[in-house]
Amino acid sequence: GGSSFAVSLRRHGRSAFPAFDVSRAIGWFSTTVPLVLAADDALDPAALVKSIGHQLRAVPRDGIAYGVLRYLERDAFFVSLEPPRMLVNHLGHLGAPRADTLFRRSDDRAADRATDRERLERDDHSLALTTTVRRGRLSMEWSFRPDRHRRDAVEGLASRTRDWLLALSADAAVAVSS
């Protein structure tokens, strides 16, 4: 309902240093960056998505400098900042594993949910949205601290988010076909 919102965005950093070949590295170069994003209510949904995309791409080197100053240098300004209450973590496109791969992604979501809850308590976030794309479908998982949020409130937020995305995709399909 406001014109801006604060989130912590977990970025996975493989694009932070384009000059380095990290194709043989295992894992991520994760950073968690607090952001205040402008969400102009006057924009139509497609323009709003485009605006947020521009704002995210404007973060230099996936926000790795924030992590260096906050956690390695212990810069007083960054240490004093209270993190936003919501964490957004997009894990990207998770394709089917190749036949010759040694590792496969676990589909044990119960273990992942336990990890999300532990992360919420450790990171001092009270709400987390983790997204993936698999086989062309977006998956959203909401985690929350029950001592700070009511289940029905989070379910309502998740439902409104789903409805908004479905309406946006329907509008995009109409625009493409016309």
Side-chain angles (χ1 to χ4, degrees):
S3 61
S4 65
F5 58 98
V7 297
S8 287
L9 181 64
R10 181 148 298 140
R11 314 271 318 246
H12 299 289
R14 288 196 169 260
S15 62
F17 300 101
F20 294 101
D21 178 10
V22 294
S23 62
R24 295 179 52 87
I26 295 175
W28 293 299
F29 306 102
S30 292
T31 59
T32 302
V33 183
L35 298 173
V36 175
L37 299 170
D40 187 346
D41 290 340
L43 294 176
D44 65 85
L48 180 59
V49 168
K50 191 174 186 178
S51 170
I52 297 293
H54 285 303
Q55 293 174 64
L56 294 176
R57 284 188 296 278
V59 176
R61 296 187 187 258
D62 282 345
I64 202 152
Y66 170 80
V68 169
L69 292 171
R70 169 77 164 88
Y71 298 103
L72 295 180
E73 290 294 322
R74 307 291 299 166
D75 183 277
F77 172 76
F78 291 106
V79 170
S80 70
L81 291 177
E82 183 174 327
R85 296 292 179 218
M86 183 170 182
L87 172 68
V88 177
N89 184 11
H90 178 61
L91 297 176
H93 292 261
L94 303 177
R98 296 186 341 230
D100 63 342
T101 187
L102 294 175
F103 301 99
R104 297 190 193 281
R105 184 184 186 284
S106 168
D107 285 326
D108 182 6
R109 292 303 300 155
D112 290 344
R113 281 190 292 278
T115 302
D116 288 344
R117 281 192 300 275
E118 291 168 7
R119 185 179 305 125
L120 283 174
E121 292 174 12
R122 183 183 68 237
D123 289 349
D124 198 34
H125 296 97
S126 60
L127 181 65
L129 171 60
T130 303
T131 62
T132 58
V133 176
R134 182 179 285 166
R135 293 184 205 101
R137 296 180 60 116
L138 174 67
S139 171
M140 298 185 305
E141 182 154 327
W142 296 82
S143 303
F144 66 97
R145 291 186 54 180
D147 61 326
R148 297 205 186 155
H149 297 284
R150 292 186 340 265
R151 174 179 281 289
D152 62 327
V154 176
E155 287 174 349
L157 176 61
S159 179
R160 287 189 306 278
T161 302
R162 182 197 63 229
D163 293 347
W164 188 85
L165 289 170
L166 288 171
L168 179 65
S169 66
D171 288 347
V174 168
V176 169
S177 66
S178 50

